Amino acid sequence: MTDTKPPRADADERTTLLGFLDYLRSAVAGKATGVPEPQVRTPGVPSGTSLLGLVKHLTVVERFYFLGEDTADWAASMRPAPEETSEQLLAGYRDAVEQSNRVITACPDLSLPIPHPPRPASTPTMRWVLVHMIEETGRHAGHADILREQADGSTGR
């Protein structure tokens, strides 16, 4: 992989936040792309975290915050089922990102509550969710960096 540079930060707030989030999303998907079975789903750490598990988890998180889809089992979101392929999970992640970006773009003011709160008692602002998703995705992008290097020695973004 070759290193890519983060987005410029001279745009408006929404464009800057979404640019960084998309940059991190792309990094996660890139780390899981092209890794053969079984390495893509093989845990690289005692907690059981795998590249494919990170993709599945981030898909659930995107759908939770931006699309209002709750999950009954957060732990299961980190474990790809045997029948779930890399192609399916990466396509699902890209689809969730695309749908999420439509929600983000349609929000007229980042200080407004998200339009589809997954739980009635929870109504964070779009700004909060964007910052949280940058943190969440960035954290897991770092995990993906390490797991990919363990899988085949690839480094970079």
Side-chain angles (χ1 to χ4, degrees):
M1 270 185 199
T2 59
D3 282 334
T4 58
K5 302 286 184 217
R8 294 186 49 87
D10 58 355
D12 63 89
E13 181 184 21
R14 178 191 322 264
T15 303
T16 300
L17 292 173
L18 187 54
F20 273 91
L21 181 55
D22 279 339
Y23 171 71
L24 293 167
R25 289 162 162 168
S26 177
V28 169
K31 288 296 179 175
T33 299
V35 180
E37 292 282 356
Q39 291 92 336
V40 72
R41 69 178 66 243
T42 301
V45 292
S47 67
T49 303
S50 70
L51 284 166
L52 216 49
L54 291 172
V55 170
K56 182 175 181 174
H57 173 70
L58 286 170
T59 301
V60 171
V61 175
E62 290 273 347
R63 299 185 81 73
F64 177 80
Y65 279 110
F66 294 116
L67 307 177
E69 296 178 15
D70 205 351
T71 183
D73 188 352
W74 282 102
S77 76
M78 292 290 287
R79 308 283 182 265
E83 67 276 5
E84 292 176 315
T85 68
S86 294
E87 293 78 21
Q88 289 169 329
L89 289 173
L90 283 163
Y93 183 53
R94 291 182 178 113
D95 180 63
V97 165
E98 185 178 305
Q99 289 182 52
S100 296
N101 281 352
R102 283 197 294 267
V103 171
I104 295 163
T105 303
C107 182
D109 181 342
L110 298 182
S111 66
L112 293 175
I114 56 174
H116 309 288
R119 297 183 180 128
S122 172
T123 54
T125 66
M126 181 62 77
R127 179 179 292 108
W128 185 91
V129 171
L130 282 167
V131 171
H132 173 65
M133 287 302 297
I134 290 167
E135 176 272 330
E136 176 87 3
T137 308
R139 180 171 174 250
H140 292 313
H143 297 147
D145 283 340
I146 293 166
L147 293 171
R148 179 65 188 257
E149 187 172 354
Q150 288 176 335
D152 67 7
S154 293
T155 61
R157 293 183 201 165

